[in-house]
Amino acid sequence: QAHLVESGGGSVQAGGSLRLSCTPSEHVVGLRCRGWFRQAPGKEREGVAVIYGSFGAAVADSVKGRFTISQGDGEKFTYLEMNGLKPEDTATYFCAARDCGGWWRTFNPADYNYWGQGTQVTVSS
């Protein structure tokens, strides 16, 4: 059972933009640490961006300056604004949530307990 639902994926040309949205179930809506991850065929899942409400946000070096993570409606929804998309950004993108515990800034998928089913992003050259 997916506790988060992603939307907004699609196919774009290189240089284009997309905005992904993540909607949590009632079961996980109170978990303030959220993240966006992606997985390309044959590759491991990697962290793209993480956020802890208004406390902090971070993006991976590979997307720095192009992707922005944010939240809306009192931290309920999580967004990933993707600009300047490249073919290497092609992947399935997943939203995830976790209990922050003692730290919030982690890009390790193993640290996240709840996941969505993913949304496909395809960037053509």
Side-chain angles (χ1 to χ4, degrees):
Q1 179 185 359
H3 291 283
L4 302 123
V5 178
E6 304 92 340
S7 61
S11 297
V12 297
Q13 291 191 325
S17 299
L18 285 171
R19 187 186 194 222
L20 304 183
S21 298
C22 175
T23 302
S25 70
E26 289 302 314
H27 184 72
V28 302
V29 68
L31 299 180
R32 300 183 66 193
C33 280
R34 309 278 179 83
W36 284 99
F37 296 78
R38 66 186 181 186
Q39 188 167 19
K43 295 189 176 182
E44 293 187 353
R45 190 169 297 188
E46 64 172 350
V48 175
V50 298
I51 191 167
Y52 175 23
S54 59
F55 186 80
V59 297
D61 288 343
S62 58
V63 303
K64 195 165 292 183
R66 301 187 297 122
F67 290 13
T68 303
I69 187 171
S70 62
Q71 291 185 302
D73 192 11
E75 302 177 12
K76 179 178 181 180
F77 301 103
T78 307
Y79 306 104
L80 185 67
E81 188 77 33
M82 305 186 294
N83 299 310
L85 283 161
K86 304 176 181 180
E88 51 263 44
D89 295 319
T90 295
T92 301
Y93 283 70
F94 299 89
C95 179
R98 60 185 285 268
D99 186 344
C100 299
W103 77 101
W104 68 271
R105 196 179 187 281
T106 174
F107 289 89
N108 185 352
D111 290 331
Y112 290 78
N113 309 102
Y114 301 96
W115 293 85
Q117 293 184 330
T119 185
Q120 179 66 35
V121 172
T122 302
V123 185
S124 58
S125 58

